Amino acid sequence: QKMGQEMSNINSRVGTRLDQSKDDVEVFSKRVQEDIEKLLDKKREKELMLQKRYDWYVSHSEIAQAKLLKNEERQQDILRDIAAKAAEFEALTTERIKETEVIMAEREKWEQAKAEHAQFQLVLDEHIDRMSKFCDVGGSALEVGKHFRAYFEAIPGKITKAAESTWAVTAGPTADNQKLYLEYFTTYMMDLGEILWVKEKRLDELERRTRNVQYTLDLCADTYDPNGPKYKQSLRELRAQTDDLGGVINDTRDRGDKEITAFDETADALKKMGVEFVHPMIEMNAAHVEKRTGHVYKKAGFMQSELHYIDEVTDELSETKMLVKQAKSTRQANLIPPLMSPESQSPRYRKNREQGFPVEGSPQPAGGT
């Protein structure tokens, strides 16, 4: 029962408290609603003020933008004026510099011309002074020249007289010396001709040996001669000797020509003195021609023998070609003569056999060397 009473009290108090809370909530809600209304009014007031501010900003922005455009146009005009003025200023400055340079250049030319004129005046005064002195010296020299002229006009006669007297004394010894020089020079030219003859013969011999070695070298492949390298070495040595000897001969001829040129003065003097003589050059060439003529005759005889041999070999080759051609066409080998037959031997081989000369590769008689 007590518990029931307490519960009843509690419920009563809770109900009372709930009623109070309800009233409090209603009051609070009302106050909150009022505050919200106030805030909304404040918001609308703020929004209105913001809209006014925005409208004011837009209107003033348009005005400011228009002013800025006008300001910019004015600035562009001013800049264009400044650029034009700057260009004009630059042109004026350049013109001023050029004019100043022209003035300075002309001033420098004037100063240089003035200095040159002053220097010219100094040199002219000095030159005039020297010319005056030279005129005085020239007058004195003219007098001295007159005396020298008289002296020099007398000199040719004195020299001619002295030369005639000297020549009268030395004419005889000079003629003797020139005749002696003729004898010595004749001996020299004859010896020179002999030397040239010997060296030219040696050169001909070297050239002949060179041709023979070249011919032998060309036949190495046909004759199976294994000495080809030796022939090549010999050919090089012969050609080197030929070149050296040719140079010696040319040098000898050059020295001889110089001596002949040096003798021309003596030859003219001997002719003027009436001395009859044969020029040593003529005597040397006469002896040289005589020796060469004899040598050519001997060589011609040898060449005649060689030409006769070549003719015989040519005839033999013609006959052999005909036999070979006939044998090939008829296929009969018996038409070709045996290898040791007289017909198959060379003309020179047959001739040596007929004359009894030993032939290389043939049997030698008893006691033969």
Side-chain angles (χ1 to χ4, degrees):
Q1 189 176 4
K2 188 177 181 178
M3 288 293 292
Q5 185 66 35
E6 288 180 0
M7 287 298 296
S8 176
N9 292 333
I10 291 170
N11 288 330
S12 176
R13 287 195 299 271
V14 168
T16 302
R17 188 63 181 167
L18 287 174
D19 291 336
Q20 290 178 353
S21 297
K22 181 179 179 182
D23 293 336
D24 292 337
V25 169
E26 290 177 356
V27 173
F28 177 76
S29 297
K30 185 177 180 180
R31 290 180 61 185
V32 169
Q33 188 67 33
E34 290 176 355
D35 291 338
I36 290 173
E37 290 294 334
K38 290 179 180 180
L39 290 174
L40 290 175
D41 293 337
K42 192 69 174 178
K43 176 184 177 183
R44 284 189 291 271
E45 183 181 354
K46 292 289 185 180
E47 289 178 351
L48 181 60
M49 291 178 64
L50 181 62
Q51 183 64 36
K52 290 180 179 180
R53 176 66 64 180
Y54 176 74
D55 294 339
W56 182 87
Y57 164 73
V58 170
S59 63
H60 281 272
S61 294
E62 292 176 354
I63 295 171
Q65 188 69 26
K67 290 181 179 181
L68 287 174
L69 291 175
K70 291 181 180 180
N71 185 280
E72 184 178 0
E73 291 177 357
R74 181 58 181 164
Q75 286 180 345
Q76 293 295 330
D77 294 337
I78 293 172
L79 287 176
R80 283 192 290 271
D81 292 339
I82 291 173
K85 294 296 183 181
E88 183 179 1
F89 180 79
E90 183 69 23
L92 291 173
T93 303
T94 303
E95 183 179 359
R96 180 182 180 84
I97 292 172
K98 289 182 179 179
E99 292 297 332
T100 304
E101 290 177 351
V102 170
I103 293 172
M104 295 300 294
E106 294 298 329
R107 179 59 180 267
E108 185 177 355
K109 291 179 181 179
W110 156 247
E111 294 292 341
Q112 183 178 359
K114 185 169 67 173
E116 290 177 355
H117 179 73
Q119 186 67 27
F120 170 76
Q121 188 65 39
L122 291 175
V123 174
L124 180 62
D125 294 340
E126 184 179 357
H127 184 69
I128 291 173
D129 182 63
R130 288 184 179 180
M131 289 298 102
S132 299
K133 294 179 180 179
F134 284 157
C135 288
D136 297 337
V137 174
S140 302
L142 182 61
E143 294 297 327
V144 175
K146 291 179 180 179
H147 295 290
F148 271 107
R149 181 178 181 181
Y151 173 76
F152 282 112
E153 286 177 351
I155 286 178
K158 295 180 180 180
I159 293 175
T160 302
K161 186 176 180 180
E164 290 176 353
S165 61
T166 302
W167 177 248
V169 176
T170 60
T174 301
D176 294 338
N177 288 332
Q178 289 175 339
K179 292 177 183 178
L180 186 62
Y181 179 31
L182 173 62
E183 295 178 5
Y184 289 156
F185 188 67
T186 301
T187 303
Y188 168 79
M189 290 301 295
M190 297 303 293
D191 293 341
L192 180 64
E194 187 68 24
I195 292 172
L196 288 174
W197 167 253
V198 172
K199 292 186 180 297
E200 288 174 354
K201 282 291 296 174
R202 174 61 178 166
L203 183 63
D204 290 341
E205 177 64 18
L206 288 174
E207 291 176 349
R208 184 191 65 79
R209 290 174 59 188
T210 301
R211 291 193 298 271
N212 290 342
V213 173
Q214 182 65 55
Y215 176 73
T216 305
L217 181 62
D218 293 340
L219 291 179
C220 280
D222 298 333
T223 59
Y224 301 102
D225 191 341
N227 296 318
K230 294 182 180 179
Y231 296 147
K232 290 182 179 179
Q233 180 64 27
S234 299
L235 190 62
R236 285 193 293 269
E237 293 176 357
L238 287 171
R239 286 175 177 171
Q241 294 176 12
T242 302
D243 293 338
D244 294 341
L245 185 57
V248 172
I249 292 174
N250 290 333
D251 292 340
T252 304
R253 290 181 180 277
D254 184 61
R255 288 197 299 270
D257 290 337
K258 291 179 180 178
E259 294 296 334
I260 292 170
T261 302
F263 178 73
D264 289 342
E265 184 178 355
T266 302
D268 294 338
L270 291 172
K271 290 178 181 178
K272 289 180 180 179
M273 289 187 296
V275 178
E276 295 183 359
F277 66 96
V278 179
H279 199 288
M281 181 66 175
I282 299 175
E283 293 186 6
M284 185 199 76
N285 279 275
H288 191 68
V289 168
E290 184 177 356
K291 291 180 180 180
R292 289 192 63 187
T293 301
H295 179 68
V296 169
Y297 284 150
K298 294 178 181 179
K299 185 179 288 187
F302 175 75
M303 293 300 296
Q304 189 67 30
S305 175
E306 292 295 319
L307 291 173
H308 181 68
Y309 166 71
I310 292 173
D311 292 339
E312 290 182 353
V313 172
T314 303
D315 294 339
E316 179 197 355
L317 287 175
S318 299
E319 295 175 0
T320 304
K321 285 182 180 179
M322 292 178 62
L323 287 175
V324 172
K325 184 176 180 181
Q326 185 177 1
K328 287 178 67 176
S329 62
T330 60
R331 300 182 182 277
Q332 295 181 7
N334 56 0
L335 295 177
I336 305 299
L339 296 178
M340 284 303 296
S341 64
E343 292 80 3
S344 64
Q345 299 170 3
S346 67
R348 180 171 294 179
Y349 184 91
R350 292 197 301 269
K351 184 177 181 181
N352 291 338
R353 290 291 298 269
E354 291 171 359
Q355 295 179 357
F357 294 146
V359 180
E360 183 180 356
S362 63
Q364 300 292 327
T369 56

